[in-house]
Amino acid sequence: MLNIVLIRPGSTDYDLQQRVQGSLDIPLNKQGATEAAQAAEQLRGKRMEVVYAPPSQPALETAEIVAKTLGIKRKKLERLNNLNQGLWQGMLVRDVRHKQPKVYRQWQDQPENVCPPEGEMLGEADERVHAAVVKLLKRHKEGAIGLVMPEPLFSLAHRFLSHRKLGDLWNAPNGHGQFEVLEVDAEEFLAAGV
């Protein structure tokens, strides 16, 4: 069995301001660095051999703090950029809700059917997450690995690994610096033709 520790990055100023971050590279703020350090301390007993992160600044910074604290390697997952939220990036979530109420509501109910203006469809990010997770399952069959993922990548990876429904991405639990451990039978998962 393989334990995949899904870790949410520490918070950024955009998170505190409730702005749409998307694929923008915003560094961890002081609180975010503290959240990442606290998560790293809580992860001491998980015996992770490596922690992976996509090339987004908050995810990489969180992974670096975890790796340094635990004395393990940090590896970048190339081509796993976060969802490009187009013109919504940098906007306050409440402004998106007020300026585009129909699209906002549809994003709540059926996010896979909405493309932010000049952004990308959720399905594109979902395909990147699937490819990255399958690659990791082929590489790691047992033990424990960490995977730092910003939203909505975290929710996409969690749904894929646990075979659950996606849910409302606007209201995905923040839990910056929090983590969940998912036990996966990598051989069985791959044999199922994911």
Side-chain angles (χ1 to χ4, degrees):
M1 288 298 234
L2 174 66
N3 285 331
I4 298 179
V5 183
L6 283 177
I7 307 164
R8 295 180 190 277
S11 56
T12 67
D13 287 342
Y14 269 31
D15 293 314
L16 296 181
Q17 298 163 3
Q18 295 186 327
R19 291 185 180 275
V20 178
Q21 189 163 312
S23 60
L24 297 176
D25 266 337
I26 309 297
L28 294 179
N29 56 23
K30 188 176 179 180
Q31 177 181 327
T34 299
E35 292 162 348
Q38 289 171 343
E41 287 301 324
Q42 293 171 2
L43 289 166
R44 282 196 184 271
K46 301 296 180 202
R47 298 185 179 172
M48 292 187 308
E49 54 196 75
V50 62
V51 61
Y52 293 92
S56 74
Q57 194 169 356
L60 285 173
E61 288 179 11
T62 299
E64 188 62 39
I65 291 168
V66 170
K68 188 174 183 180
T69 301
L70 302 180
I72 60 175
K73 291 182 182 177
R74 185 222 10 116
K75 293 188 178 181
K76 188 190 296 187
L77 290 171
E78 297 293 344
R79 297 185 305 272
L80 190 60
N81 299 325
N82 202 0
L83 180 70
N84 180 349
Q85 301 261 12
L87 297 178
W88 290 351
Q89 293 183 155
M91 288 181 66
L92 294 168
V93 172
R94 71 172 182 257
D95 289 344
V96 173
R97 184 176 60 241
H98 292 300
K99 291 179 181 180
Q100 299 177 323
K102 251 180 144 172
V103 177
Y104 176 86
R105 184 73 187 158
Q106 188 177 10
W107 181 256
Q108 287 179 304
D109 297 337
Q110 299 171 325
E112 65 279 358
N113 295 329
V114 176
C115 184
E118 297 184 27
E120 70 175 321
M121 296 292 288
L122 190 63
E124 295 173 60
D126 201 27
E127 288 175 15
R128 291 194 298 272
V129 169
H130 284 209
V133 170
V134 166
K135 189 175 181 180
L136 291 176
L137 291 175
K138 288 178 180 177
R139 186 177 299 155
H140 302 278
K141 303 281 194 264
E142 55 187 37
I145 61 170
L147 186 52
V148 180
M149 303 284 266
E151 282 298 343
L153 299 184
F154 183 101
S155 291
L156 293 171
H158 192 282
R159 176 194 63 170
F160 181 57
L161 289 165
S162 61
H163 308 291
R164 292 190 182 159
K165 197 174 176 183
L166 188 57
D168 181 359
L169 294 176
W170 286 117
N171 293 316
N174 287 332
H176 299 290
Q178 300 298 308
F179 60 89
E180 286 186 54
V181 181
L182 301 177
E183 190 175 69
V184 178
D185 184 331
E187 297 286 351
E188 186 178 299
F189 205 93
L190 294 170
V194 290

